[in-house]
Structures are given as C-alpha cells and as structure tokens.
Amino acid sequence: MTVDGLFRFNQKNCERGLEIKKLPDEIIWEGGFIRVRNQNRVNYKFHLLVKEDEDSKKNLNPSSVESTDCEGFLLSNIAETVNNSPGDLVVTYCIKHKTCIIRRDAFGLIPVYYFHLPDSFLAFSTSLPSLLRIDGVLDHLTINTKRIIRYLTFRADSLVDYDSETFFCQINSVLPAHQIIVTPSDIITKSWVDFNPDQWSQLTSLTEFANVFQNLFHNSVANSVNGDIVGSHLSGGMDSSSISSFARKLFPLKEFHTFYGAPNTQFASENEYAQAVADHIGSIHHEIAPQHNDFDLLTKYTSIYGHPETMILSPALQGSLLEAAHSHRCTTLLIGHDGDSIVGNGFDYLIELFRKRKWAELKELLAQRTQNPSFLRLFKNWNTLDEDEKLQAVYHDFFGRRFQEVAVTASIKELFTLFTDVKRNFNISTLHFLKRGLNSIIHKFLDKPIPNSLVKASARNSNREKSKLNKTLSESLSKNLEEKYMHSFSSVYNAQSITINEEFFALGNHYNMQASLPFFNKELFELCMSVPSKLKLGDGIGRQHFREAMKGSLPEQVRTRRDKAVFGSYGRLAARRLFRDAEGLLQNEENQVWDFIDKVEFNKIVKILHDDNQKPLTYAISQFHILRTISLAVWFDWLVSLNFKNETKKNSKP
C-alpha cells in the first residue's frame, strides 16, 4: 500500500464549499489530493478524515480502502480506538483551520515521510521515491551530511534510537507511535501510545507467562496473514520456525509455502532445522540458493527505498527469498524480524548477578553455558577441551568482558579488589588475565586496527555537531515506566531495526505482497518486558518463556537449540562479489560518495576483505565498509537519474 498526500495551505477556495472529485483510490480537490495504491492485497488500514469545520465532518475514503467510522474524531485527539492494529495509518485534515494530523503505527511498520514548506504546502507519502515525485518537493532538497556520516560508521545505527531525520535535510519521517500536528507555519510531534507492561504483574510462574505468550502470539500471527497463498521465511531459528508453525496450524486450508535461504557456508547452514520444521508442519518447502546478482538487486532496491540500503548483508539473500515467494504468488510473506528484541533473552540477568556480587548463583548459571555451541567459534580447540577446561574458558570469556566494561570508570584499587573477589570464588587463572591484559596493550601499540569509519576528516569537520547516543525515542515511549524497561525500548526502537521495518514495507509493495512481521505486537511486547530476566534466562539458553510457549508446536531439536547461524563467511563472499560488480561505478570520480569516503582507506579495506588470514571482527567491519560505500554510491547515482541538483557543501546540516 502506498499513500500519497498534498495539502496546499494557500488555496483561497479551501475555506468553505470544498469541491471534491472522487476517483477510484483517489480524492482530488483544488487544494490537494490523497492517493492510495496497491492496497488490495494487504491487511494495513488507511483512515482518512477531511473536515470542513468542527461541526460539519466528511468521512472521505477511496472506495476500496478499508476504513472505520470516523465520526468520533476530534482535531486535537484522534480517537485511539481507530488505531489498535499495528498496521494502521491515520490522516486527518481540517479545512477551516488548515491543520493536518498524521499518526504512525506503534512500531513503524508503515513509513510516513513528509515535506513541509511553511505557509505553502505539506506533502507526505509512505514511499520516499513517491514523495520526491510530488511537484515542488525535489527542488527544495539538500543532502543531510550528518545522517550520511552516521550511516557510514560501524554499528552507529544500532546504538542510537530511530529519529525523524532522513538523508534529506528538508524531509522528515513521523516517529513510530507518534503523530504530527501540522499547521501552515509549524509542526508539533507527540506520542500517542502508552505502554503498560505492569498489566501482567499478576503472572509469576514460567507456565503462566508461557500460556499468555502463546495466546498473544497466536493472535498476532492470525492477524498477520492476508490472502489465499501464504509464504513464510523459515531459517530454522526459533523466531521463523514458531511463526511458520502457528500460521500453518491457524490456516490449514490455505496453500502454505516455506522458504529457506541456503548460503551453505560455515556456521550459516541451518537446512537441517528448517527441514525438520517443514516436515513437522507439512508445508510446501523450498530451499533457495541466493542469487549472485548482488549489485543489480542493490541498485533496484535503492530505487525502491529512496535511500541507501540498511541491511548489513548483501540484499541477494533476502531478495532471492522475496522473489521466490513472489513467483509462487504468495499474498503474504511472514518474517521473523525482530523477534530477538521483542522477546528478550535474559542474559542481562548474568550481568546483574555480577554487579550485585551474587557469586553462587552466577557460578551455577555460567556452568550451564559450557553447553553453548557458540563457544566453538570463540575457541578453535573447544571440542578437545574437557569439562573443567571448558568451564574455565567460559569464566575467562565472561569476566574478561565484564572487566573491560568496569575498567572504564573504576579505579585501579577497585579493579584489584574485584579481581581478587572473582578469583577467590571462581578459581580463575591470574596468568590468563595478565596475558590477556598484556596482549591488549601490545595489540594497541603494534596492531593497526581497522577503523569504524572511512569518512574523510574534511567531511567530519564540516559536521560539527557533537556525537552522542540519541535515546530520545526510547525515553519518550518509556516515560513513567521503571528504569528496568528502558533496555527493551532501546532494543526495539533503534535506528537500524525500524529502518529495516520500512524496507520490508517497501519491498512488499514492490513484490505485490504483504511482508508481515508478527513479533511487532504491542501486547506481546508488553508481556515480554514484564517477564523477569531470571525467568527469561532459564537454564542458561535464554528466551525460556518463549521456548516454553512453543512446547508441542516445534520439533524439540529446534525448540531447545542453543546455537544460532552466523553469516560471516557468506557475507564476506557476497561483499567480494558486490565489489567486483560495482568497480565501474566506484571508478567514477564524479560520484559524490568520494566527497565522504577516503579512497585510500577504502582500497586498504578491499585488500583486507580479500586476505584469508584476518579475524572475524575484522572481516565484519570490512564487509560493512564495502557494503555501505557501494550502497551510498548507488544512491548518489540514482539521485543523478532524478536530475537532483544538490548543493551539499553550501546547504547541508552542519
């Protein structure tokens, strides 16, 4: 579904006697228009109310747009009953006061971009490329340098909240769970959602939490399916497996397809788990090998998003799955993003025990961590270690990370006291920590660490705003709640996660299907926030309330699995292909990407990517720089195709 709108504030005949021409999926009047496209295959609802004054209201809806009774609307406070679903968009326009209200859903599943020219017009759209095509918008735009610098910095988007800024200085987006009130001269932003995790305070046991989780998840999956042919991305992990299982159970008569992306690289192959789930639920299962047209898909998706790619992997993997679902005529594709953040894992309980010096309980829980297969990737000789050696490795890994965190603020005396206490209770090796500390010092002086950003000093200097961790959205939505809930909001509403929601929405429109994300459900999120961290952690696997809820619905090998796929090897190979196919574009010295990226440093990164003797983190950062640099270059090239005239140095945000 794409919704475009234009409200002109300076039309004389907009005061009274509005003359409206109503076409299929479109309303036009002299002061503007509303268009709704591709809404016939989705569950999202669009609500439009155009009012002449406070006493006379006209509920104007394109004929095929699903709507509810809007007579209860007030200009200052749209009735909350209209927007209970996470996939609703509400627009209200008062002709008399020339005031528009646009409300975005609770989790940002539908993007809303807008351009406001004071005393002239407001243009908005759920599609950034569509907004750029509205007359009068493109001519006023300049590039947002600050947003580009953050985009080019490793992990920056995952550490800050989503905000209203876009890659254009003059275009903003409505914040999730917020509404904007737009007058000819001003814009006010305010939240409309109140979260209440304490509503579940009567629940105490794992069984009680699991039963409620099951009911809420059941309802969310049911509301996420549209049409007669359903597809589900099935990776073999808990999130996608649970969605696939519930959807198949809920809709046994629908044609049901599951799609597994098969990278077939070390630590990434999960076909055994995916096949087990597909057999368990009886789906039509497809194992899809990712295409190798990484650059072509990146170019196409950039023109669909209107901004550079956000995913941290080449789009070929998800693109292959989407195209496969489209080829099988799926009207819905169920996706497990971002189950990790919504559900929570309880690992923060281990850190809480460390901070409170509750050594006995921490010792018991860390002992259970020796069964976690992820240590195989941290310690190459893991399978040759006996149980005592594995336990020592777990201790060293856990306390090594904690001491690094504490060392930032603690004195030497405090560190020594803490180390002595830990050594006495866990019998850890003093020699190991001395060697680890010495190695850190040696590497600090001798290694040449890969930088987190390749942005030129000149570009960074032009952006004088001091870097800070923006948590404004988390603070706004968690207001009046206990501090313990803050982490959940930061995880769900970070810039990377919400932007990925927006990209799935755009891709769903492109492939004429609904890309549904069932974990984004308000009540489910509130429930998971209310589950005590100790209970979530369970026997050390994490997400215990979720696993308990899925008893009987998943094969046990999937429900109780401790490991998770890692796409490092696949990501590196894809980044190599992407660079190979983008070389022609990167050789264009006129591309604006080189106004931001230090080309000498970029070429060093390319060499590192092709070196077979680097550490996993080094490869991860290298892949990030390759993908982000090429994505930005593709975006600048796309802007040229729009005849976009940018004056970055003169007009961009400082």
Side-chain angles (χ1 to χ4, degrees), residues 430-486:
T430 304
L431 179 61
H432 171 85
F433 272 89
L434 288 175
K435 286 172 61 178
R436 181 167 182 159
L438 183 60
N439 285 335
S440 297
I441 294 172
I442 292 173
H443 287 309
K444 181 176 182 179
F445 287 99
L446 296 183
D447 285 0
K448 293 182 179 179
I450 186 168
N452 282 345
S453 174
L454 303 183
V455 175
K456 288 179 175 179
S458 57
R460 287 197 301 269
N461 291 338
S462 68
N463 179 57
R464 302 185 192 283
E465 181 167 317
K466 192 173 182 179
S467 177
K468 57 184 178 180
L469 294 181
N470 171 25
K471 296 296 180 185
T472 305
L473 182 57
S474 298
E475 292 169 355
S476 170
L477 296 179
S478 62
K479 61 182 182 297
N480 303 323
L481 294 178
E482 294 181 55
E483 178 67 23
K484 65 180 180 180
Y485 298 128
M486 182 67 180

Side-chain angles (χ1 to χ4, degrees), residues 141-321:
L141 303 184
T142 53
I143 298 298
N144 186 348
T145 300
K146 187 179 79 171
R147 180 67 187 92
I148 289 177
I149 291 174
R150 194 181 83 194
Y151 174 78
L152 295 172
T153 303
F154 183 63
R155 288 180 175 167
D157 278 352
S158 62
L159 294 175
V160 300
D161 283 358
Y162 179 92
D163 61 33
S164 61
E165 287 194 357
T166 71
F167 286 86
F168 298 101
C169 292
Q170 297 79 9
I171 292 179
N172 291 87
S173 62
V174 181
L175 294 173
H178 281 67
Q179 63 188 24
I180 58 170
I181 303 171
V182 186
T183 66
S185 61
D186 196 17
I187 298 177
I188 299 172
T189 297
K190 56 191 298 186
S191 63
W192 65 270
V193 176
D194 289 321
F195 290 92
N196 181 24
D198 293 332
Q199 67 181 291
W200 306 109
S201 59
Q202 77 279 10
L203 305 180
T204 57
S205 70
L206 178 64
T207 300
E208 289 175 325
F209 281 110
N211 288 339
V212 177
F213 184 102
Q214 188 179 76
N215 291 333
L216 295 178
F217 191 53
H218 178 281
N219 293 337
S220 185
V221 172
N223 292 329
S224 299
V225 172
N226 182 62
D228 296 325
I229 305 177
V230 181
S232 184
H233 172 215
L234 178 56
S235 70
M238 271 288 292
D239 298 340
S240 64
S241 298
S242 300
I243 290 172
S244 300
S245 175
F246 270 33
R248 185 60 173 148
K249 188 184 302 183
L250 283 162
F251 302 102
L253 300 182
K254 291 183 185 289
E255 185 178 325
F256 195 88
H257 299 260
T258 48
F259 301 93
Y260 168 69
N264 294 323
T265 57
Q266 188 181 25
F267 301 130
S269 179
E270 296 192 299
N271 57 326
E272 173 190 350
Y273 298 108
Q275 188 64 59
V277 174
D279 292 342
H280 183 74
I281 65 177
S283 63
I284 305 170
H285 191 57
H286 309 272
E287 192 167 298
I288 309 298
Q291 303 171 36
H292 287 182
N293 59 339
D294 308 79
F295 182 71
D296 290 340
L297 279 175
L298 180 64
T299 302
K300 178 167 75 172
Y301 288 175
T302 300
S303 68
I304 294 170
Y305 304 147
H307 61 71
E309 172 70 59
T310 299
M311 297 285 188
I312 57 177
L313 285 175
S314 160
L317 182 59
Q318 70 162 12
S320 300
L321 294 170

Side-chain angles (χ1 to χ4, degrees), residues 619-634:
Y619 285 135
I621 302 176
S622 299
Q623 291 160 207
F624 171 88
H625 290 321
I626 297 292
L627 180 58
R628 288 291 167 101
T629 298
I630 295 173
S631 296
L632 188 61
V634 167

Side-chain angles (χ1 to χ4, degrees), residues 68 116 210 318 473 479 562 587 604 638 646 649 651:
T68 59
H116 180 235
Q318 70 162 12
L473 182 57
K479 61 182 182 297
R562 291 173 175 266
Q587 287 171 1
K604 291 179 182 177
W638 176 71
N646 178 51
K649 295 178 182 178
N651 296 319

Side-chain angles (χ1 to χ4, degrees), residues 291-522:
Q291 303 171 36
H292 287 182
N293 59 339
D294 308 79
F295 182 71
D296 290 340
L297 279 175
L298 180 64
T299 302
K300 178 167 75 172
Y301 288 175
T302 300
S303 68
I304 294 170
Y305 304 147
H307 61 71
E309 172 70 59
T310 299
M311 297 285 188
I312 57 177
L313 285 175
S314 160
L317 182 59
Q318 70 162 12
S320 300
L321 294 170
L322 286 160
E323 292 190 351
H326 177 67
S327 70
H328 287 281
R329 300 176 293 110
C330 293
T331 49
T332 298
L333 181 64
L334 297 163
I335 300 170
H337 175 73
D338 181 18
D340 282 345
S341 297
I342 292 289
V343 174
N345 53 38
F347 292 153
D348 55 315
Y349 185 63
L350 296 174
I351 300 175
E352 181 184 336
L353 292 176
F354 170 78
R355 290 173 178 165
K356 293 181 177 179
R357 312 294 189 256
K358 295 186 176 181
W359 303 131
E361 188 174 357
L362 180 59
K363 193 171 188 177
E364 179 183 344
L365 291 173
L366 287 179
Q368 297 170 346
R369 299 286 289 160
T370 61
Q371 303 302 312
N372 192 331
S374 64
F375 284 102
L376 179 63
R377 295 190 289 273
L378 293 176
F379 303 94
K380 293 182 180 179
N381 63 335
W382 182 258
N383 287 332
T384 66
L385 303 179
D386 61 31
E387 286 304 308
D388 287 339
E389 290 172 326
K390 287 181 178 180
L391 184 58
Q392 281 296 309
V394 171
Y395 286 167
H396 291 157
D397 178 69
F398 178 79
F399 289 112
R401 295 173 189 271
R402 301 291 80 77
F403 275 99
Q404 285 179 345
E405 295 165 359
V406 173
V408 176
T409 56
S411 67
I412 294 177
K413 181 180 179 181
E414 289 170 333
L415 282 174
F416 180 76
T417 302
L418 178 60
F419 176 76
T420 303
D421 200 7
V422 170
K423 177 177 171 55
R424 182 174 62 251
N425 284 278
F426 293 88
N427 193 31
I428 61 173
S429 167
T430 304
L431 179 61
H432 171 85
F433 272 89
L434 288 175
K435 286 172 61 178
R436 181 167 182 159
L438 183 60
N439 285 335
S440 297
I441 294 172
I442 292 173
H443 287 309
K444 181 176 182 179
F445 287 99
L446 296 183
D447 285 0
K448 293 182 179 179
I450 186 168
N452 282 345
S453 174
L454 303 183
V455 175
K456 288 179 175 179
S458 57
R460 287 197 301 269
N461 291 338
S462 68
N463 179 57
R464 302 185 192 283
E465 181 167 317
K466 192 173 182 179
S467 177
K468 57 184 178 180
L469 294 181
N470 171 25
K471 296 296 180 185
T472 305
L473 182 57
S474 298
E475 292 169 355
S476 170
L477 296 179
S478 62
K479 61 182 182 297
N480 303 323
L481 294 178
E482 294 181 55
E483 178 67 23
K484 65 180 180 180
Y485 298 128
M486 182 67 180
H487 175 72
S488 297
F489 285 95
S490 297
S491 297
V492 170
Y493 288 97
N494 70 75
Q496 181 167 298
S497 181
I498 298 298
T499 306
I500 288 174
N501 290 353
E502 297 174 344
E503 291 185 352
F504 276 130
F505 177 83
L507 292 174
N509 281 338
H510 173 74
Y511 288 108
N512 198 26
M513 70 177 79
Q514 179 170 324
S516 292
L517 313 175
F519 278 101
F520 287 98
N521 176 278
K522 181 174 178 288

Side-chain angles (χ1 to χ4, degrees), residues 568-587:
S569 298
Y570 170 78
R572 184 182 168 209
L573 292 172
R576 284 179 171 183
R577 291 195 305 267
L578 190 59
F579 173 74
R580 178 197 65 201
D581 294 341
E583 278 194 280
L585 175 65
L586 295 176
Q587 287 171 1

